[in-house]
Amino acid sequence: MTDLTVRIGRLTLKNPVLTASGTFGYGPEYADYVDLNRLGGLITKTITLEPRGGNPMPRIAEMPAGMLNSIGLANVGVERYLAEKLPLLEKYETAVIANLAGSTVEEYARVVMKVQKHPRVDGIEVNVSCPNVRKGGLAFGTDPDVLCELVRSVRSETDKTVIVKLSPNVTDIRPVAMAAASGGADALSLINTVMGMGIDIRTRKPLISRITAGLSGPAIKPIAMAKVYEAAQAVDLPLIGIGGIMNGEDAVEFLMAGASAVQVGTLNFVDPAGCLKVLEGIETFCREQGIAKVSDLVGAMDHG
Amino acid sequence: MYSEQCPIDEQRSITESVFLLSFTSRAIARTGRPGQFLHIRVRTGIDPLLRRPLSIHRIDPQTGQISLLFRVVGRGTRLLKDMRPGDPLDVMGPLGRGFDLSGNFSRALIVAGGMGGAPVFFLIDALLSLGKQVTLLWGVGDGREIFGTDEYVRKGVDVRVATEDGSLGHRGYVTELLDVFLKTHAQDQSFRGFVCGPECMLLPVQRFARKTVFSWQASLEERMACGVGVCQGCGVRIRNQAEYRMVCKDGPVFDLKEILFHD
Ligand SMILES: Cc1cc2nc3c(=O)[nH]c(=O)nc-3n(C[C@H](O)[C@H](O)[C@H](O)COP(=O)(O)OP(=O)(O)OC[C@H]3O[C@@H](n4cnc5c(N)ncnc54)[C@H](O)[C@@H]3O)c2cc1C
Ligand SMILES: Cc1cc2nc3c(=O)[nH]c(=O)nc-3n(C[C@H](O)[C@H](O)[C@H](O)COP(=O)(O)O)c2cc1C
Ligand code: FES
């Protein structure tokens, strides 16, 4: 039997497979298809201080081996999250990580303050790919100084594990990863969606109402792999690899590039039990290869 | 809700672009309701990636056989048409909330346009078993797409067909049949209206519906990823509701008079 446990900051997860924010609802939505107790962790949809309806339709479109989305952080807001959503997760034994966002540093801090007290919240994932209104539309995740300040302020609000989720839409991920580390992050997760777009040439309309959107799915896996690898070279923090994972072998690839755990996103839409198949695939690989601890795979790429 | 591999029993072409596919699933046959849909993975690989939503066309409760009626419009439906008996079909469902057949009405008026005919057969089966009197107004472009109506005529359904090519029934649009029908029935409280079809047909039907005294239910189509209310991708605006409703989970059937198209 392979030891599947992994450490992410102050948390020990029972295995390295988590579900990615925005692709698994608030948790129970897929409980008919997936035994949630078997997940390493569950990351809930990004929540904000106030409820958000999201962007106009259409806000999704299929792409070759992927999809575009511009949901616009539609969510119930922090109060309903605490009162209605988290209690539904009480009966499950899996780590619950609350993903959150804000439009100012203060707003992030306020959401963290409210959420982190809840006993069902085991960790926080900070989504830094939404527009920073204060800095004129720049994403928090692309400016190292702003990011460092943000992470510092989140850090000061909680003793729970703080994971910072990075955007790939930067020329170099290393300074951003280092900024999150120096701000006090316990771990980094990467990547969020890659900026993309498409046009219906017959109607001449953009496929997504907001025109540009986020690409996810297998199409982005090579990009995500490179970002994980680069971040692993730059910081000494546990990384959670995300992007196009469809099976256990994809997940092992991320571990070998330097990730300690992985998140499964778009696959949930395609196969609602897919996250467990990813886990089973990792187990099979370890068994076949005689690997005692899944953590032995982290950064295990042979540089030759 | 189930996610399972179901063996395909039969694949039949109605025209060169419209197909009738059937497979067996006892679980779906037991729980499926008219207006609900199935989310089909047409290929196990990564491209095309997403599932395709298709209405339940009909269920045979005796054999557990489910059928789908679909038009080939793109890559996913083309792959589906190429599947053969014996191939496993990856099906999730039944999903969504179907038609509400409860409450007080004795007569059903169904308006179907094009592939909107797909969910209608199952709806009629259910209405007949509830002892309702049914009128079907079905419009298509190509008259060869009208099929299976003889059985319903025999069962007492009042079937009226409109074809744009004039090959069958009234030459023109189904809304013209509706206009005529409502001249005598718009004020009849014993009716309930049901409508399935593309948005370009739902819009004029909504204008007619708002002038009738009875209630109407419409089945909507939106691009979908998850099909279960998770991704928030398939929203529709409903009058007096601040938030988007999700077609996959809150629908696909909504109160026609309350739908806000183009919003
Ligand atoms: C609840 C529901 C029930 C449906 N029932 C039927 C049915 O019984 N018979 C039938 O022929 N069609 C039905 N449709 C439409 C059917 O889903 C699309 O025709 C099909 O997804 C097209 O896939 P494609 O790969 O061939 O086309 P493509 O254009 O290549 O598809 C590209 C993407 O757009 C999506 N898409 C394209 N057209 C539609 C559409 N009209 N509605 C929703 N998504 C679309 C696809 O799912 C895919 O993600 C239904 C749609 C919905 C939402
Ligand atoms: C429909 C959709 C909604 C998403 N919503 C969020 C979100 O609310 N917060 C967030 O941090 N990431 C969100 N993501 C990004 C995913 O968590 C993940 O980082 C990304 O999709 C890449 O992984 P994948 O290729 O496995 O999907 C969303 C992705 C999709 C497809
Ligand atoms: S398709 Fe995902 S919410 Fe409807």
Side-chain angles (χ1 to χ4, degrees):
Chain A
M1 272 294 278
T2 313
D3 177 1
L4 290 170
T5 59
V6 292
R7 273 195 73 79
I8 298 295
R10 307 162 195 205
L11 277 175
T12 301
L13 306 180
K14 60 176 131 189
N15 66 61
V17 179
L18 300 97
T19 52
S21 181
T23 66
F24 212 69
Y26 296 102
E29 288 91 336
Y30 276 124
D32 281 355
Y33 301 96
V34 180
D35 177 1
L36 302 182
N37 296 313
R38 288 181 61 198
L39 290 172
L42 186 164
I43 303 175
T44 50
K45 175 76 187 167
T46 295
I47 48 155
T48 51
L49 203 52
E50 300 298 333
R52 290 171 59 96
N55 293 333
M57 301 293 152
R59 51 192 193 188
I60 55 172
E62 191 180 54
M63 290 285 114
M67 66 178 281
L68 287 173
N69 91 79
S70 167
I71 305 299
L73 300 185
N75 78 95
V76 298
V78 69
E79 297 306 335
R80 279 184 63 197
Y81 177 70
L82 293 170
E84 297 168 26
K85 302 298 178 186
L86 279 173
L88 301 175
L89 292 172
E90 233 127 68
K91 61 177 180 219
Y92 299 107
E93 281 173 40
T94 188
V96 173
I97 297 178
N99 178 303
L100 49 87
S103 48
T104 61
V105 171
E106 296 70 34
E107 221 176 279
Y108 272 96
R110 281 181 64 194
V111 185
V112 174
M113 195 182 68
K114 284 170 183 285
V115 162
Q116 68 94 27
K117 292 184 293 220
H118 197 286
R120 198 58 196 88
V121 170
D122 299 300
I124 305 280
E125 183 176 66
V126 190
N127 180 358
V128 288
S129 346
C130 63
N132 167 7
V133 279
R134 217 187 48 183
K135 284 216 76 186
L138 249 187
F140 275 99
T142 58
D143 182 328
D145 295 333
V146 179
L147 180 62
C148 183
E149 182 200 335
L150 171 71
V151 176
R152 198 164 279 142
S153 119
V154 167
R155 174 79 284 167
S156 69
E157 295 291 342
T158 182
D159 292 326
K160 287 184 175 165
T161 296
V162 172
I163 304 165
V164 176
K165 182 168 178 179
L166 300 181
S167 165
N169 304 314
V170 290
T171 20
D172 188 352
I173 197 120
R174 286 167 293 194
V176 189
M178 289 189 283
S182 65
D186 293 302
L188 307 179
S189 54
L190 64 170
I191 56 174
N192 210 317
T193 51
V194 178
M195 183 89 86
M197 109 179 224
I199 300 172
D200 180 332
I201 58 170
R202 314 251 170 250
T203 62
R204 302 190 178 198
K205 293 223 164 62
L207 291 178
I208 300 285
S209 68
R210 283 304 213 43
I211 304 175
T212 57
L215 183 64
S216 66
I220 69 167
K221 198 189 101 189
I223 300 170
M225 287 283 299
K227 300 294 179 198
V228 167
Y229 174 73
E230 288 181 334
Q233 306 311 302
V235 295
D236 197 16
L237 288 179
L239 305 178
I240 309 179
I242 325 167
I245 294 173
M246 295 297 282
N247 53 48
E249 293 178 3
D250 291 341
V252 169
E253 239 186 300
F254 272 95
L255 300 182
M256 288 185 176
S260 295
V262 295
Q263 294 179 21
V264 173
T266 302
L267 174 60
N268 296 309
F269 305 152
V270 178
D271 180 356
C275 51
L276 294 184
K277 293 179 191 163
V278 169
L279 174 60
E280 286 156 13
I282 298 173
E283 289 180 280
T284 305
F285 180 82
C286 290
R287 197 166 53 240
E288 284 170 6
Q289 300 269 320
I291 289 153
K293 298 203 313 245
V294 78
S295 54
D296 289 344
L297 290 172
V298 178
M301 177 174 74
D302 182 350
H303 286 76
Chain B
M1 279 178 273
Y2 306 89
S3 174
E4 54 179 345
Q5 303 285 334
C6 308
I8 292 176
D9 298 324
E10 202 192 337
Q11 173 87 268
R12 206 177 107 200
S13 67
I14 303 294
T15 69
E16 58 278 7
S17 60
V18 176
F19 293 81
L20 188 65
L21 179 155
S22 58
F23 61 91
T24 302
S25 164
R26 296 252 162 222
I28 296 171
R30 211 171 41 241
T31 53
R33 297 287 170 265
Q36 285 190 303
F37 68 97
L38 304 175
H39 216 19
I40 313 272
R41 191 173 179 189
V42 292
R43 158 157 295 170
T44 45
I46 57 172
D47 195 41
L49 182 67
L50 299 175
R51 287 173 181 270
R52 299 297 191 260
L54 292 174
S55 307
I56 301 177
H57 170 59
R58 229 168 162 184
I59 286 182
D60 183 336
Q62 256 74 52
T63 59
Q65 206 171 63
I66 318 290
S67 51
L68 305 171
L69 180 69
F70 65 95
R71 186 197 303 280
V72 173
V73 297
R75 245 158 23 112
T77 44
R78 200 168 308 124
L79 284 164
L80 190 63
K81 151 204 118 176
D82 289 336
M83 294 183 83
R84 291 287 157 256
D87 291 349
L89 190 65
D90 183 336
V91 186
M92 219 176 132
L95 300 178
R97 298 183 343 168
F99 296 104
D100 180 5
L101 305 183
S102 67
N104 217 355
F105 69 105
S106 57
R107 306 176 71 185
L109 172 60
I110 305 175
V111 183
M115 277 301 104
V120 158
F121 284 53
F122 192 16
L123 172 63
I124 299 178
D125 292 339
L127 288 165
L128 291 177
S129 73
L130 290 170
K132 313 286 182 189
Q133 221 181 313
V134 181
T135 298
L136 169 65
L137 312 182
W138 189 3
V140 293
D142 169 356
R144 293 173 306 144
E145 288 176 14
I146 300 285
F147 74 102
T149 49
D150 292 353
E151 173 191 343
Y152 290 118
V153 171
R154 253 182 280 118
K155 289 177 175 168
V157 177
D158 171 16
V159 179
R160 307 182 191 185
V161 169
T163 55
E164 282 162 50
D165 64 5
S167 59
L168 212 65
H170 169 76
R171 178 192 288 269
Y173 295 114
V174 70
T175 41
E176 290 153 13
L177 294 179
L178 178 63
D179 192 13
V180 171
F181 189 86
L182 290 179
K183 288 211 158 71
T184 42
H185 300 286
Q187 306 304 317
D188 187 340
Q189 304 253 15
S190 64
F191 271 97
R192 181 173 293 176
F194 301 89
V195 50
C196 311
E199 196 171 302
C200 60
M201 183 197 104
L202 296 181
L203 269 166
V205 175
Q206 184 183 55
R207 280 194 294 273
F208 282 112
R210 284 182 172 156
K211 291 185 203 137
T212 64
V213 294
F214 50 92
S215 72
W216 287 77
Q217 300 173 25
S219 177
L220 297 187
E221 290 185 8
E222 260 297 334
R223 287 184 214 156
M224 292 184 178
C226 70
V228 292
V230 165
C231 74
Q232 302 284 302
C234 64
V236 55
R237 287 259 182 241
I238 303 295
R239 201 149 68 178
N240 299 323
Q241 304 250 358
E243 294 165 25
Y244 276 116
R245 307 272 85 199
M246 292 301 136
V247 170
C248 66
K249 183 162 174 275
D250 305 310
V253 176
F254 293 92
D255 182 337
L256 175 65
K257 294 181 189 174
E258 303 298 312
I259 298 167
L260 300 174
F261 293 104
H262 302 302
D263 207 53

Coordinates of all heavy atoms in Angstrom, one line a residue, chain B residues 224-234 246 248, ligand 3:
Chain B
M224 N -24.0 24.1 -22.6 CA -23.8 23.6 -21.2 C -22.4 22.9 -21.1 O -21.9 22.4 -22.1 CB -24.8 22.5 -20.9 CG -26.2 23.0 -20.8 SD -27.4 21.7 -20.3 CE -28.9 22.7 -20.2
A225 N -21.9 23.0 -19.9 CA -20.7 22.2 -19.6 C -21.1 21.1 -18.6 O -21.2 20.0 -19.0 CB -19.6 23.1 -19.0
C226 N -21.4 21.5 -17.4 CA -21.6 20.4 -16.3 C -22.9 19.7 -16.5 O -23.1 18.6 -16.2 CB -21.4 21.0 -14.9 SG -22.7 22.2 -14.5
G227 N -24.0 20.5 -16.8 CA -25.3 19.9 -16.8 C -26.0 19.7 -15.5 O -27.1 19.3 -15.4
V228 N -25.3 20.1 -14.4 CA -25.9 19.9 -13.1 C -25.9 21.1 -12.2 O -26.1 21.0 -10.9 CB -25.2 18.7 -12.3 CG1 -25.5 17.4 -13.0 CG2 -23.7 18.9 -12.2
G229 N -25.7 22.3 -12.7 CA -25.8 23.5 -11.9 C -24.5 23.9 -11.2 O -24.5 24.8 -10.4
V230 N -23.4 23.3 -11.6 CA -22.1 23.6 -10.9 C -21.4 24.7 -11.6 O -20.9 25.6 -11.0 CB -21.3 22.3 -10.9 CG1 -19.8 22.7 -10.5 CG2 -21.9 21.4 -9.8
C231 N -21.3 24.7 -13.0 CA -20.3 25.6 -13.6 C -20.9 27.0 -13.8 O -20.2 27.9 -14.1 CB -19.9 25.0 -15.0 SG -21.2 25.1 -16.3
Q232 N -22.2 27.1 -13.7 CA -22.9 28.4 -13.8 C -22.9 29.0 -15.2 O -22.9 30.2 -15.5 CB -22.3 29.5 -12.8 CG -22.4 29.1 -11.4 CD -23.8 29.2 -10.8 OE1 -24.3 30.3 -10.8 NE2 -24.3 28.1 -10.3
G233 N -22.7 28.1 -16.2 CA -22.6 28.5 -17.6 C -23.8 28.7 -18.4 O -23.8 29.3 -19.4
C234 N -25.0 28.2 -17.9 CA -26.2 28.1 -18.8 C -27.3 29.0 -18.2 O -28.4 28.5 -18.2 CB -26.6 26.7 -18.9 SG -27.1 26.0 -17.3
M246 N -30.4 28.6 -13.8 CA -29.6 27.7 -14.6 C -30.5 26.8 -15.4 O -31.4 26.1 -14.9 CB -28.6 26.9 -13.8 CG -27.6 27.7 -13.1 SD -26.6 28.6 -14.4 CE -26.5 30.2 -13.6
C248 N -29.9 24.1 -16.9 CA -29.7 22.6 -16.7 C -30.3 22.2 -15.4 O -30.8 21.0 -15.3 CB -28.2 22.3 -16.6 SG -27.3 23.1 -15.3
Ligands
FES3 S1 -24.3 23.6 -17.5 FE1 -23.2 24.0 -15.7 S2 -24.6 25.2 -14.6 FE2 -25.8 24.5 -16.3

